[in-house]
């Protein structure tokens, strides 16, 4: 059986997902696309040489009888509408982060999914599918370094065209907010944001870098550096400091050169390349579980918890103080 997927949003990430579903992975076929820019949607079909119908609206695509599942890769503020429509249609939906741009929007999706009675929503937190993060989680699980006490993380982009305001948190650090709670199997209880001297190489007026300090329910302390104009490359770091040792997120494989009296290794510059294998694993597992009528990935509840935590980080930045992160008890519907 083949999963017939409708893709809403054919921008950069939507196009890479269309390609991976059509040519890289197995078990799925893109049969429908929609974009606010209809010409762009048609160009995606033509350039990927797929037999997919272009729909004028996301709603029509979602309700099409030959679409089994939805992939939402449109502009963030449209996610809530399309995810709610997918739930109303009773169709599985993969939503790229963010699930919704507000915690309230995420909660509306959680409530709609609970009312529907079956989990349909998966959120695109792809780092859980990265082999490096999975190895780090296994190291913790095996008690190799004792109980985690602190985490030191960095999320560095070479550049962030169009970034403004709090996007370093709401668009970038949301990945750490999801993957670290998954890594530690703990939620957060407080957030603080430190504003170091800002780089002169960021867009005018953009604070960059940030340091985000988090505490977890068991008292683990986390510091995350967000630097979205670091210039040298796309560099993701995560060190777990335990009672008896430390464990670092593996660096992506790359050749070590010895030439011209120097050692050197390449550093990737694009997040789509750094996590290409994670994206492929994430979507292959989504295809397989959806064909089996199951949903095992990051849920709407995970999207909601990240939104609540992200809002607290933004509030901590704006108010210059430590802000409590108050996450309601997980509904039984979302318990393992
Ligand atoms: C981007 O939207 C992503 O999702 C990337 O994973 C992240 O590293 C980048 O900072 C975001 O802008």
């Amino acid at each position: 059986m083949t999963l017939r997927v409708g893709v809403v949003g054919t921008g950069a990430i939507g196009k890479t997902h269309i390609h991976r579903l059509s040519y890289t992975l197995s078990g799925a076929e893109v049969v429908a696309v929609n974009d606010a820019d209809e010409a762009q949607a048609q160009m995606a079909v033509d350039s990927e040489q797929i037999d997919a119908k272009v729909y004028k609206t996301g709603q029509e695509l979602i309700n099409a009888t030959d679409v089994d599942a939805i992939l939402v890769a449109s502009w963030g503020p449209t996610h809530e509408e399309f995810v709610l429509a997918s739930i109303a249609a009773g169709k599985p939906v993969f939503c790229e982060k963010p699930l919704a741009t507000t915690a309230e929007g995420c909660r509306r999706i959680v409530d709609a999914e609970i009312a529907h009675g079956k989990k349909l929503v998966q959120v695109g937190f792809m780092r859980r599918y990265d082999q490096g993060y999975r190895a780090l989680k296994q190291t913790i699980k095996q008690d190799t370094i004792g109980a985690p006490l602190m985490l030191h993380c960095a999320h560095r982009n070479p550049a962030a065209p169009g970034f403004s305001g709090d996007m370093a948190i709401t668009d970038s650090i949301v990945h750490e907010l999801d993957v670290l709670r998954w890594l530690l199997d703990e939620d957060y209880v407080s957030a603080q944001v430190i504003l170091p001297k800002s780089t002169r190489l960021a867009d005018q007026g953009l604070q960059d870098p940030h340091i985000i300090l988090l505490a977890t329910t068991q008292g683990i302390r986390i510091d995350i550096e967000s630097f979205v104009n670091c210039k040298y490359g796309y560099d993701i770091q995560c060190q777990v400091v335990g009672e008896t040792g430390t464990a670092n997120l593996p660096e992506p494989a790359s050749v070590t050169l010895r030439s011209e009296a120097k050692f050197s290794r390449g550093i990737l510059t694009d997040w789509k390349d750094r996590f290409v294998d994670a994206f492929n694993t994430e979507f292959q597992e989504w295809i397989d579980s959806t064909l089996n009528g199951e949903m095992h990935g990051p849920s709407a509840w995970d999207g909601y918890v990240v939104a609540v935590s992200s809002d607290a980080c933004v509030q901590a930045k704006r108010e210059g103080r430590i802000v409590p992160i108050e996450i309601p008890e997980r509904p039984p519907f979302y318990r393992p």
Side-chain angles (χ1 to χ4, degrees), residues 249-263:
L249 180 71
E251 295 283 354
S254 73
V255 169
T256 300
L257 292 176
R258 282 178 170 82
S259 64
E260 297 173 352
K262 287 196 302 293
F263 284 116

Side-chain angles (χ1 to χ4, degrees), residues 56-179:
K56 287 193 177 303
T57 68
Q59 300 285 355
E60 286 172 290
L61 176 147
I62 290 165
N63 294 320
T65 53
D66 64 338
V67 170
D68 303 319
I70 318 302
L71 165 52
V72 175
S74 52
W75 186 42
T78 65
H79 288 188
E80 178 184 352
E81 169 198 354
F82 293 135
V83 172
L84 288 174
S86 300
I87 294 171
K91 295 186 180 181
V93 52
F94 181 106
C95 181
E96 265 300 346
K97 40 70 76 176
L99 176 62
T101 51
T102 64
E104 294 74 19
C106 292
R107 187 71 216 210
R108 284 190 287 270
I109 290 169
V110 162
D111 293 342
E113 191 175 37
I114 292 174
H116 173 74
K118 182 177 188 297
K119 280 200 275 187
L120 295 172
V121 181
Q122 178 164 331
V123 186
F125 290 125
M126 81 333 223
R127 292 199 187 173
R128 299 183 184 203
Y129 299 86
D130 176 69
Q131 292 313 310
Y133 275 108
R134 287 186 162 183
L136 209 45
K137 185 173 177 69
Q138 192 62 15
T139 300
I140 294 170
K141 196 172 177 180
Q142 290 168 345
D143 201 27
T144 311
I145 57 172
L149 306 173
M150 297 171 283
L151 275 70
H152 307 306
C153 307
H155 183 152
R156 299 183 183 129
N157 299 64
F163 258 45
S164 60
D166 304 315
M167 286 179 67
I169 295 171
T170 61
D171 192 67
S172 298
I173 293 303
V174 288
H175 282 293
E176 274 79 11
L177 291 174
D178 177 70
V179 78

Side-chain angles (χ1 to χ4, degrees), residues 99 103 106-107 110 125 177-178 181 186-188 299-311 325-328 330-331:
L99 176 62
C106 292
R107 187 71 216 210
V110 162
F125 290 125
L177 291 174
D178 177 70
R181 63 184 284 271
E186 281 188 46
D187 277 328
Y188 311 117
S299 67
W301 182 256
D302 294 311
Y304 170 66
V305 170
V306 166
V308 170
S309 307
S310 169
D311 285 354
I325 299 178
E326 293 157 344
I327 296 164
R330 184 196 299 247

